[in-house]
Amino acid sequence: MIVYLALRNLVRHKKRSLIIVLLFFVIITLFFIGNSTLMQMNQGMRKTFVENFTGDLVLKSTSPVDFGLFGANTPFVGEYFAIPVIQNYDSLLAELEGLDQVEATVSQVSGAALMDIHNKRYKVPLFGIEGDEYFRFFSNLKLLEGDLFTTGEEGILMTEYRANQIERETGLRPVPGDPILLTMFGNKGFKIREVPLKGIFSYTNSNSSMDQIMLVDVQTLRALNSITLASKKDSGAVDDLFSGSVDDLFGESDVESGESDGISAESVMDLLSQDVVAPEGDLVGGGWNFILIDLKERVNPRSVLEKLNSFFDENDINAEVISWRKAAGLSAMMVYLLQILYNGGFLLVLIAGIIAIVNLLVISVFERTGEIGTLRAIGASKGYIGGLFYLENIILSLIASLLALALSFLLIRVINRAGLTINNSLIVSLLGMSTVRVTFLPLMAFISMITSVLLGFLSTLFPVSLAMKIEPVTAVARG
Amino acid sequence: MEIIKLTDIKKSYPMGNVIVNALNGVNLSLDKGDFVAVAGPSGAGKTTIMNMIGLVDQPTSGEVFIEDKPVSHLSDKERTVLRHHYLGFIFQSFNLLPILNVYENIEIPLLIGKKYPAKKERIEWIDFLLDEVGLSPWKKHKPSELSGGQRQRVAIARALVTKPEIVIADEPTANLDSKTGEKILNLMKTINKEQKTTFIFSTHDETIKNMADHVIYLHDGFVVSEEKS
């Protein structure tokens, strides 16, 4: 009877019911579409990052400084931060590759350098890799021009975006074979190295962070980073060119002019061509900063991460495994920022909507004082009255959520059929796709319905408290 | 047999800064199966006393006994249960639920409790009551489609549907013309005789109070006289 009574009341007060349905509809539509998009963005971003440069998980050395593939995640660490190399690299790699959950691994050294090309200087993140192995691991990477560097061969690869940028800014398109000068300042002073441009590549669904990445042969980056392989004494490592001040290096000169009182391009080339003594670098096994891990399908990365880290803790091994998001550092924070912004805006709409619904329900309670009083007089408990109001509002919120989901479903179908193409690279990388394909997420639909019922319940709390205060004597007085 | 007793009932209401004394120490004793009229001019305290007996209001002081049990200080839950099972109400303005038809309006008191009779039993009993009040042909109609007298007859059937011991009717004829009012009172009287249900109704109509077995005259919150036939 209470359901019947609730339904009859809703039909009788059509206008009010429609307004409440409309308000719930707006709230739930925003909630569903917004969160579905953000969830999809999160998945898209994960796909973009995991398949392009992070892998599912990343093994690195422990450090008091939070760092990822691009270096320290904290903007200011107070002093120069050198990414530590992985100790016991060989045994850790063997352990990882022996795991059933692991599909493949690839190792990497990271650094940041100043790149001089065509008399123009750029600050670039460098990933030191073994070319063939890295491109096998990240099969999404496309080599557009030139070749990969083979093991032991020096060379650097730049993104298509970077090549276009250089062409735009210098009027000269970089081509394979162009010399590139890399300058890096580390804890051993400055290191300079010239490498030939081996090729131009592109990422799938690239973003601004990825566009900056330069892939360099690992020996060059190790030399720039002052990492020396214990087993490869004097194998092409470069001595500190300058242990003096920064001014000594840059002085009035630069590579562009080649004429200065400080250092000239010729002197740098001379120095680079000399056999130099190995620096007092970290003498360690593999000389790698990271091992990127590709997990087999349907393996839960979180569970592997937790198991490995507890194993490292228990065995006092100086290594830790981090998620792709942490490995990508600040560049992966975009979706989180968008989520915060969106949810902030949604919260405002939610508050406004709830206030409007509560007001409508309060008016309804006052209008129905006689009815409430009569029901109380003929034996309805306060719980029955409360239940009636809760039920009415929950029915409305459920109707609204079903309508919202139906509309969203139709919208998604229309969008997918339209096959919209995205031109903005940020949105492409966030969504992990260049043609919009939105998925109706059943889990999010379920969450939306639960949220709707919860909102229906919450918005009725105050009006019900008022309704329950109405005494039966009021019915006698009001009729 | 005494079914209701009121001892020294006082009731005051704050009205702005003034305290209004609606009842000033009322003592009453009502017998089971009586057809009781509470009479008096406007402001005499008729509605207040009906509210006290009907457990919809509580006295400022004094005690209400129903079948020798004090009920004034029962909790809201206990009073609700007692109202549901023991009392029936007929209101001056009928107080029917506009969203329900005649049948449903009569049925609702049976369905708001925790336990209610089986559907077949309900249908038989409500049909019987509809026959009693002469509204069988109108059972599917909404209250808005009925006349005042018909509405009040629905209210009577609703008050009787839980088979209460006492039916309280606050000025049941106030919104009806005299002829219809008389018919309503006759119906109540018939049911009173047939079902042995105690009826307590308030009125300021001198003519209809003569139908009562027991008339209580109120004035300014005092019982000024009583007549028993």
Side-chain angles (χ1 to χ4, degrees):
Chain A
M1 185 66 178
I2 193 169
V3 177
Y4 180 67
L5 205 59
L7 287 171
R8 296 299 289 266
N9 268 319
L10 295 177
V11 172
R12 180 175 161 79
H13 305 286
K14 279 190 210 83
K15 270 189 188 169
R16 185 168 45 233
S17 300
L18 280 173
I19 295 171
I20 293 174
V21 165
L22 188 70
L23 288 166
F24 274 124
F25 173 80
V26 171
I27 291 169
I28 298 302
T29 305
L30 284 175
F31 180 82
F32 178 73
I33 291 183
N35 278 289
S36 294
T37 311
L38 288 169
M39 256 175 95
Q40 213 144 331
M41 270 180 155
N42 214 12
Q43 285 167 0
M45 192 166 186
R46 183 185 179 280
K47 189 176 153 69
T48 303
F49 279 50
V50 166
E51 292 180 1
N52 280 313
F53 77 97
T54 64
D56 292 308
L57 297 171
V58 174
L59 186 143
K60 67 179 186 69
S61 179
T62 54
S63 164
V65 176
D66 181 29
F67 69 94
L69 296 174
F70 291 97
N73 287 332
T74 321
F76 303 101
V77 291
E79 57 184 24
Y80 172 76
F81 172 71
I83 300 174
V85 292
I86 300 169
Q87 292 169 10
N88 306 314
Y89 169 81
D90 292 334
S91 53
L92 283 170
L93 184 66
E95 284 286 342
L96 285 179
E97 289 183 337
L99 291 175
D100 287 342
Q101 295 92 333
V102 174
E103 180 73 42
T105 63
V106 72
S107 303
Q108 177 184 316
V109 174
S110 285
L114 292 174
M115 174 180 80
D116 289 285
I117 180 170
H118 295 161
N119 294 334
K120 190 88 183 165
R121 175 167 285 177
Y122 301 91
K123 193 179 173 189
V124 293
L126 292 175
F127 286 2
I129 56 159
E130 302 274 15
D132 295 339
E133 205 182 323
Y134 193 82
F135 270 68
R136 258 199 311 278
F137 188 89
F138 292 114
S139 53
N140 271 358
L141 270 59
K142 286 185 198 125
L143 189 66
L144 306 173
E145 289 176 47
D147 298 304
L148 296 177
F149 37 79
T150 51
T151 307
E153 188 184 6
E154 285 185 347
I156 192 163
L157 300 168
M158 70 169 59
T159 59
E160 188 183 24
Y161 170 88
R162 176 73 74 189
N164 292 340
Q165 183 193 18
I166 293 167
E167 185 180 12
R168 206 169 45 245
E169 290 175 6
T170 65
L172 292 168
R173 173 126 186 124
V175 289
D178 281 354
I180 290 178
L181 197 66
L182 298 171
T183 309
M184 189 183 273
F185 177 73
N187 52 3
K188 307 267 179 220
F190 276 93
K191 299 287 176 68
I192 298 178
R193 193 95 178 172
E194 188 189 80
V195 282
L197 177 67
K198 287 291 289 180
I200 295 168
F201 73 101
S202 71
Y203 289 106
T204 308
N205 303 330
S206 174
N207 67 24
S208 56
S209 301
M210 288 150 66
D211 286 335
Q212 311 300 317
I213 296 170
M214 303 284 291
L215 300 176
V216 65
D217 70 278
V218 68
Q219 297 90 334
T220 300
L221 190 52
R222 278 189 190 131
L224 289 165
N225 269 347
S226 306
I227 300 169
T228 310
L229 294 177
S231 58
K232 294 182 179 177
K233 206 161 46 173
D234 303 345
S235 61
V238 183
D239 196 4
D240 293 349
L241 290 171
F242 293 93
S243 53
S245 71
V246 176
D247 290 339
D248 286 342
L249 179 67
F250 292 99
E252 293 169 15
S253 76
D254 53 26
V255 180
E256 293 171 33
S257 69
E259 292 173 6
S260 74
D261 297 332
I263 182 173
S264 67
E266 287 74 17
S267 63
V268 169
M269 295 307 139
D270 288 346
L271 279 164
L272 286 170
S273 62
Q274 292 169 12
D275 282 330
V276 288
V277 180
E280 291 176 20
D282 302 308
L283 295 170
V284 286
W288 295 97
N289 293 136
F290 303 100
I291 302 175
L292 314 185
I293 306 164
D294 177 26
L295 296 174
K296 285 181 180 158
E297 270 188 45
R298 293 191 184 144
V299 172
N300 181 0
R302 183 182 289 274
S303 121
V304 177
L305 182 145
E306 282 168 2
K307 277 179 191 164
L308 282 170
N309 281 340
S310 51
F311 173 78
F312 296 152
D313 279 349
E314 283 162 17
N315 294 284
D316 206 20
I317 295 170
N318 178 21
E320 71 169 317
V321 175
I322 57 174
S323 66
W324 68 270
R325 191 185 294 279
K326 209 169 173 192
L330 297 175
S331 59
M333 292 303 288
M334 186 63 79
V335 170
Y336 276 152
L337 287 174
L338 282 173
Q339 256 169 344
I340 290 166
L341 278 174
Y342 180 82
N343 287 324
F346 175 73
L347 197 67
L348 290 177
V349 174
L350 183 71
I351 290 169
I354 293 291
I355 288 172
I357 292 168
V358 170
N359 273 334
L360 284 166
L361 292 176
V362 167
I363 293 167
S364 169
V365 167
F366 286 128
E367 281 177 2
R368 288 164 64 184
T369 299
E371 176 197 328
I372 296 164
T374 303
L375 284 169
R376 292 279 286 125
I378 63 175
S381 63
K382 286 184 175 180
Y384 187 91
I385 302 296
L388 182 65
F389 274 85
Y390 282 125
L391 197 60
E392 285 178 19
N393 214 26
I394 285 170
I395 289 171
L396 292 180
S397 62
L398 269 175
I399 291 170
S401 66
L402 286 173
L403 288 173
L405 293 177
L407 179 84
S408 305
F409 183 76
L410 286 176
L411 265 177
I412 286 169
R413 285 195 70 144
V414 170
I415 290 169
N416 286 348
R417 278 195 183 174
L420 302 172
T421 308
I422 310 167
N423 295 319
N424 184 301
S425 64
L426 173 67
I427 300 172
V428 168
S429 73
L430 284 178
L431 291 173
M433 61 182 99
S434 52
T435 303
V436 180
R437 278 210 70 81
V438 191
T439 313
F440 185 88
L441 303 168
L443 175 69
M444 188 45 72
F446 178 71
I447 292 170
S448 299
M449 290 198 74
I450 298 288
T451 307
S452 182
V453 171
L454 202 66
L455 288 177
F457 175 77
L458 289 175
S459 59
T460 322
L461 279 174
F462 177 63
V464 159
S465 74
L466 291 178
M468 290 188 4
K469 280 180 191 158
I470 294 172
E471 293 296 331
V473 69
T474 323
V476 182
R478 290 213 185 177
Chain B
M1 185 192 163
E2 187 180 74
I3 191 164
I4 289 170
K5 190 168 83 175
L6 274 66
T7 56
D8 198 23
I9 294 290
K10 291 179 182 171
K11 181 70 183 177
S12 349
Y13 298 101
M15 199 170 276
N17 294 327
V18 183
I19 300 291
V20 176
N21 296 315
L23 296 175
N24 294 301
V26 170
N27 291 290
L28 275 179
S29 178
L30 308 175
D31 289 336
K32 193 168 187 173
D34 267 3
F35 197 64
V36 183
V38 178
S42 291
K46 298 189 298 291
T47 299
T48 310
I49 215 159
M50 302 301 273
N51 290 346
M52 299 297 152
I53 297 168
L55 306 181
V56 294
D57 203 357
Q58 286 172 293
T60 310
S61 66
E63 189 57 80
V64 177
F65 294 88
I66 294 180
E67 289 191 336
D68 293 331
K69 287 174 194 143
V71 294
S72 297
H73 299 96
L74 293 178
S75 69
D76 178 75
K77 206 172 180 179
E78 289 166 327
R79 279 188 289 133
T80 302
V81 172
L82 207 54
R83 274 201 306 272
H84 187 223
H85 294 294
Y86 209 81
L87 301 166
F89 287 89
I90 300 168
F91 301 96
Q92 186 177 324
S93 307
F94 324 126
N95 287 31
L96 301 176
L97 299 184
I99 53 171
L100 303 179
N101 64 28
V102 167
Y103 181 91
E104 290 162 346
N105 260 293
I106 297 169
E107 189 184 29
I108 195 165
L110 292 176
L111 301 175
I112 57 177
K114 284 186 177 166
K115 288 181 188 170
Y116 42 85
K119 193 172 182 181
K120 193 184 168 198
E121 200 182 322
R122 286 203 310 268
I123 293 171
E124 282 173 5
W125 175 230
I126 294 165
D127 282 344
F128 170 78
L129 288 173
L130 280 165
D131 266 349
E132 283 279 290
V133 297
L135 285 174
S136 290
W138 301 87
K139 65 193 279 187
K140 297 288 176 197
H141 287 250
K142 289 280 172 62
S144 57
E145 296 159 354
L146 305 177
S147 67
Q150 285 173 317
R151 287 183 207 184
Q152 200 57 302
R153 279 190 273 162
V154 177
I156 291 168
R158 184 181 65 183
L160 292 168
V161 77
T162 54
K163 300 179 184 168
E165 290 292 324
I166 305 161
V167 171
I168 293 157
D170 186 27
E171 305 224 25
T173 58
N175 285 336
L176 305 172
D177 61 77
S178 57
K179 199 176 166 186
T180 313
E182 201 178 319
K183 278 183 185 171
I184 290 292
L185 259 294
N186 279 328
L187 175 65
M188 285 164 57
K189 180 81 179 172
T190 309
I191 292 165
N192 164 250
K193 294 292 171 207
E194 283 176 6
Q195 311 282 330
K196 307 290 179 206
T197 309
T198 308
F199 272 80
I200 307 162
F201 65 96
S202 62
T203 183
H204 57 264
D205 189 330
E206 288 292 322
T207 53
I208 60 169
K209 70 180 183 240
N210 298 329
M211 296 169 74
D213 307 320
H214 183 176
V215 183
I216 298 154
Y217 293 96
L218 283 178
H219 193 77
D220 288 343
F222 291 100
V223 176
V224 288
S225 66
E226 283 189 69
E227 284 174 16
K228 282 189 182 180
S229 56

